[in-house]
Coordinates of all heavy atoms in Angstrom, one line a residue:
E1119 N -138.5 16.6 38.3 CA -138.5 18.0 37.9 C -139.7 18.7 38.7 O -139.6 19.8 39.3 CB -138.7 18.2 36.5 CG -138.8 19.7 36.0 CD -138.8 19.8 34.5 OE1 -138.8 18.8 33.8 OE2 -139.1 20.9 34.1
Y1120 N -140.8 18.0 38.7 CA -142.1 18.5 39.4 C -141.9 18.7 41.0 O -142.1 19.7 41.5 CB -143.3 17.6 39.1 CG -144.4 18.1 39.9 CD1 -145.3 19.1 39.4 CD2 -144.7 17.6 41.1 CE1 -146.5 19.5 40.1 CE2 -145.9 18.0 41.9 CZ -146.7 18.9 41.4 OH -147.8 19.4 42.1
L1121 N -141.3 17.6 41.5 CA -141.0 17.7 43.0 C -140.0 18.8 43.4 O -140.2 19.5 44.4 CB -140.5 16.4 43.5 CG -141.5 15.3 43.3 CD1 -140.9 13.9 43.7 CD2 -142.8 15.5 44.2
N1122 N -139.0 19.0 42.6 CA -138.0 20.0 42.9 C -138.6 21.4 42.7 O -138.2 22.3 43.5 CB -136.8 19.8 41.9 CG -135.9 18.7 42.3 OD1 -135.7 18.4 43.5 ND2 -135.2 18.1 41.4
Q1123 N -139.5 21.5 41.8 CA -140.2 22.8 41.7 C -141.1 23.1 42.9 O -141.1 24.2 43.4 CB -141.1 22.8 40.4 CG -140.2 22.9 39.1 CD -141.0 22.9 37.8 OE1 -142.3 22.6 37.9 NE2 -140.5 23.1 36.7
K1124 N -141.8 22.1 43.4 CA -142.6 22.2 44.5 C -141.8 22.6 45.7 O -142.1 23.5 46.5 CB -143.4 21.0 44.8 CG -144.5 20.6 43.8 CD -145.6 21.5 44.0 CE -146.4 21.1 45.3 NZ -147.7 21.8 45.3
I1125 N -140.6 22.0 45.9 CA -139.7 22.2 47.0 C -139.1 23.7 46.9 O -139.2 24.4 47.9 CB -138.6 21.2 47.0 CG1 -139.1 19.8 47.4 CG2 -137.5 21.6 48.1 CD1 -138.1 18.8 47.2
A1126 N -138.8 24.1 45.7 CA -138.1 25.4 45.5 C -139.1 26.5 45.8 O -138.7 27.5 46.2 CB -137.6 25.5 44.1
S1127 N -140.4 26.3 45.4 CA -141.4 27.3 45.4 C -142.1 27.4 46.9 O -142.9 28.3 47.2 CB -142.5 27.1 44.4 OG -143.2 25.9 44.7
S1128 N -141.7 26.5 47.7 CA -142.3 26.5 49.0 C -141.7 27.5 50.0 O -140.5 27.8 49.9 CB -142.2 25.1 49.6 OG -142.8 25.0 51.0
D1129 N -142.6 28.1 50.9 CA -142.0 29.0 51.9 C -141.8 28.3 53.2 O -141.4 29.0 54.2 CB -143.1 30.2 52.1 CG -143.3 31.0 50.9 OD1 -142.2 31.2 50.1 OD2 -144.4 31.5 50.6
D1130 N -142.1 27.0 53.3 CA -142.0 26.3 54.5 C -140.5 25.8 54.7 O -139.9 25.1 53.7 CB -142.9 25.1 54.5 CG -142.9 24.4 55.8 OD1 -141.9 23.9 56.4 OD2 -144.1 24.2 56.4
A1131 N -139.8 26.1 55.7 CA -138.5 25.7 55.9 C -138.3 24.2 55.9 O -137.2 23.7 55.4 CB -137.9 26.3 57.2
K1132 N -139.3 23.4 56.5 CA -139.1 22.0 56.5 C -139.2 21.4 55.0 O -138.5 20.4 54.8 CB -140.3 21.4 57.3 CG -140.1 21.7 58.8 CD -141.2 21.0 59.6 CE -141.0 21.4 61.1 NZ -142.1 20.7 61.9
V1133 N -140.0 22.0 54.2 CA -140.1 21.6 52.8 C -138.9 22.0 52.0 O -138.4 21.2 51.2 CB -141.4 22.2 52.1 CG1 -141.4 21.8 50.6 CG2 -142.6 21.7 52.8
K1134 N -138.3 23.2 52.4 CA -137.1 23.7 51.7 C -135.9 22.8 51.8 O -135.1 22.7 50.9 CB -136.8 25.1 52.2 CG -137.6 26.2 51.6 CD -137.2 26.5 50.2 CE -138.0 27.9 49.8 NZ -137.6 28.1 48.3
R1135 N -135.9 22.1 52.9 CA -134.6 21.2 53.1 C -134.8 19.8 52.6 O -133.9 19.1 52.6 CB -134.4 21.1 54.6 CG -135.3 20.2 55.4 CD -135.1 20.3 56.9 NE -135.9 19.4 57.7 CZ -136.0 19.4 59.0 NH1 -135.3 20.3 59.7 NH2 -136.8 18.6 59.6
L1136 N -135.9 19.6 51.9 CA -136.1 18.3 51.3 C -135.3 18.1 50.0 O -135.0 19.2 49.3 CB -137.6 18.1 50.9 CG -138.7 18.0 52.0 CD1 -140.0 17.8 51.5 CD2 -138.3 16.9 53.0
K1137 N -134.9 17.0 49.8 CA -134.1 16.6 48.5 C -134.8 15.4 47.9 O -135.4 14.6 48.6 CB -132.7 16.5 48.7 CG -132.3 15.3 49.7 CD -130.8 15.2 49.8 CE -130.5 14.0 50.7 NZ -129.0 13.9 51.0
V1138 N -134.6 15.4 46.6 CA -135.1 14.1 45.9 C -134.0 13.3 45.4 O -133.1 13.8 44.7 CB -136.0 14.6 44.6 CG1 -136.6 13.4 43.9 CG2 -137.1 15.5 45.1
Q1139 N -134.1 12.0 45.7 CA -133.0 11.1 45.3 C -133.5 10.0 44.3 O -134.5 9.4 44.6 CB -132.3 10.4 46.4 CG -131.2 9.5 46.0 CD -130.3 9.1 47.2 OE1 -130.5 9.6 48.3 NE2 -129.4 8.1 46.9
H1140 N -132.9 10.0 43.1 CA -133.3 9.0 42.1 C -132.4 7.8 42.2 O -131.2 7.9 42.0 CB -133.2 9.7 40.8 CG -133.6 8.8 39.6 ND1 -132.8 8.7 38.6 CD2 -134.7 8.0 39.4 CE1 -133.4 7.8 37.7 NE2 -134.5 7.4 38.1
I1141 N -133.0 6.7 42.4 CA -132.2 5.4 42.4 C -132.8 4.5 41.3 O -133.9 4.2 41.2 CB -132.4 4.8 43.8 CG1 -131.9 5.6 44.9 CG2 -131.7 3.4 43.7 CD1 -132.1 5.0 46.2
D1142 N -131.8 4.2 40.4 CA -132.1 3.2 39.3 C -130.9 2.2 39.2 O -130.0 2.3 39.9 CB -132.4 4.0 38.0 CG -131.2 4.8 37.5 OD1 -130.1 4.8 38.3 OD2 -131.2 5.3 36.4
N1143 N -131.1 1.3 38.2 CA -130.0 0.3 38.1 C -128.6 0.9 37.8 O -127.7 0.4 38.3 CB -130.5 -0.7 37.0 CG -131.6 -1.6 37.3 OD1 -131.8 -1.8 38.5 ND2 -132.1 -2.3 36.4
Q1144 N -128.7 1.9 37.0 CA -127.3 2.5 36.6 C -126.7 3.2 37.9 O -125.5 3.1 38.0 CB -127.6 3.6 35.5 CG -126.3 4.3 35.0 CD -126.5 5.2 33.9 OE1 -127.7 5.4 33.4 NE2 -125.5 5.8 33.3
S1145 N -127.5 3.8 38.7 CA -126.9 4.5 39.8 C -126.3 3.6 40.9 O -125.4 3.9 41.7 CB -127.9 5.4 40.4 OG -129.0 4.6 41.2
V1146 N -126.7 2.3 40.9 CA -126.2 1.3 41.8 C -125.3 0.3 41.1 O -124.9 -0.8 41.6 CB -127.3 0.6 42.6 CG1 -128.0 1.6 43.4 CG2 -128.3 -0.1 41.6
G1147 N -124.9 0.6 39.8 CA -124.0 -0.2 39.1 C -124.5 -1.5 38.5 O -123.7 -2.5 38.4
L1148 N -125.8 -1.5 38.2 CA -126.4 -2.8 37.6 C -126.7 -2.6 36.1 O -127.0 -1.5 35.6 CB -127.7 -3.1 38.4 CG -127.6 -3.3 39.8 CD1 -128.9 -3.5 40.4 CD2 -126.7 -4.5 40.1
S1149 N -126.5 -3.6 35.4 CA -126.8 -3.6 33.9 C -128.0 -4.5 33.7 O -128.6 -5.3 34.5 CB -125.7 -4.1 33.1 OG -125.6 -5.6 33.3
R1150 N -128.5 -4.4 32.4 CA -129.8 -5.1 32.1 C -129.5 -6.6 32.0 O -130.4 -7.4 32.0 CB -130.3 -4.6 30.7 CG -130.9 -3.2 30.8 CD -131.5 -2.9 29.4 NE -132.3 -1.6 29.5 CZ -131.8 -0.4 29.4 NH1 -130.5 -0.3 29.3 NH2 -132.6 0.7 29.5
D1151 N -128.2 -6.9 31.9 CA -127.8 -8.3 31.8 C -128.2 -9.2 33.0 O -128.3 -10.4 32.8 CB -126.3 -8.5 31.5 CG -125.9 -7.9 30.1 OD1 -126.8 -7.7 29.3 OD2 -124.7 -7.5 30.0
V1152 N -128.3 -8.5 34.1 CA -128.7 -9.2 35.3 C -130.0 -10.1 35.2 O -130.3 -11.0 36.0 CB -128.7 -8.4 36.5 CG1 -127.4 -7.7 36.8 CG2 -129.9 -7.4 36.5
Y1153 N -130.9 -9.6 34.4 CA -132.2 -10.3 34.3 C -132.2 -11.5 33.4 O -133.3 -12.1 33.2 CB -133.2 -9.3 33.7 CG -133.4 -8.1 34.6 CD1 -132.9 -6.8 34.3 CD2 -134.2 -8.2 35.8 CE1 -133.1 -5.7 35.2 CE2 -134.3 -7.2 36.6 CZ -133.9 -5.9 36.4 OH -134.0 -4.8 37.2
A1154 N -131.0 -11.9 32.8 CA -131.0 -13.0 32.0 C -130.8 -14.4 32.7 O -131.1 -15.5 32.2 CB -129.7 -12.9 31.1
A1155 N -130.5 -14.3 34.1 CA -130.5 -15.5 34.9 C -130.9 -15.1 36.3 O -130.9 -14.0 36.8 CB -129.0 -16.0 35.0
A1156 N -131.4 -16.3 37.0 CA -132.1 -16.1 38.3 C -131.1 -15.6 39.3 O -131.5 -14.6 40.2 CB -132.8 -17.4 38.7
K1157 N -130.0 -16.2 39.4 CA -129.0 -15.8 40.5 C -128.6 -14.3 40.5 O -128.6 -13.6 41.4 CB -127.8 -16.8 40.5 CG -126.7 -16.4 41.6 CD -127.3 -16.6 43.0 CE -126.3 -16.6 44.0 NZ -125.4 -15.4 44.1
P1158 N -128.1 -13.8 39.3 CA -127.7 -12.4 39.3 C -128.9 -11.4 39.4 O -128.7 -10.4 40.1 CB -127.1 -12.2 37.8 CG -127.5 -13.4 37.1 CD -127.7 -14.5 38.1
E1159 N -130.1 -11.9 39.0 CA -131.2 -11.0 39.2 C -131.6 -10.9 40.7 O -131.9 -9.8 41.2 CB -132.5 -11.6 38.4 CG -133.7 -10.7 38.6 CD -134.9 -11.3 37.9 OE1 -134.7 -12.1 37.0 OE2 -136.0 -10.9 38.3
K1160 N -131.5 -12.0 41.4 CA -131.7 -12.0 42.9 C -130.8 -11.1 43.6 O -131.1 -10.3 44.4 CB -131.6 -13.4 43.4 CG -132.0 -13.5 44.9 CD -131.9 -15.0 45.4 CE -132.2 -15.0 46.9 NZ -132.1 -16.4 47.4
D1161 N -129.5 -11.3 43.2 CA -128.4 -10.4 43.8 C -128.6 -8.9 43.5 O -128.4 -8.0 44.3 CB -127.0 -10.8 43.3 CG -126.7 -12.2 43.7 OD1 -127.3 -12.7 44.8 OD2 -125.7 -12.8 43.2
A1162 N -129.2 -8.6 42.2 CA -129.4 -7.2 41.8 C -130.5 -6.6 42.7 O -130.4 -5.5 43.0 CB -129.7 -7.2 40.4

Side-chain angles (χ1 to χ4, degrees):
E1119 182 178 355
Y1120 176 85
L1121 295 174
N1122 281 331
Q1123 289 177 350
K1124 290 286 288 187
I1125 293 169
S1127 63
S1128 176
D1129 295 326
D1130 191 305
K1132 291 182 179 180
V1133 174
K1134 283 285 191 184
R1135 73 185 184 195
L1136 297 179
K1137 62 181 180 179
V1138 181
Q1139 182 166 351
H1140 178 231
I1141 299 176
D1142 62 358
N1143 285 350
Q1144 184 176 2
S1145 68
V1146 296
L1148 301 174
S1149 71
R1150 288 182 172 86
D1151 296 338
V1152 300
Y1153 296 105
K1157 179 62 166 62
E1159 181 181 338
K1160 181 178 179 181
D1161 293 341

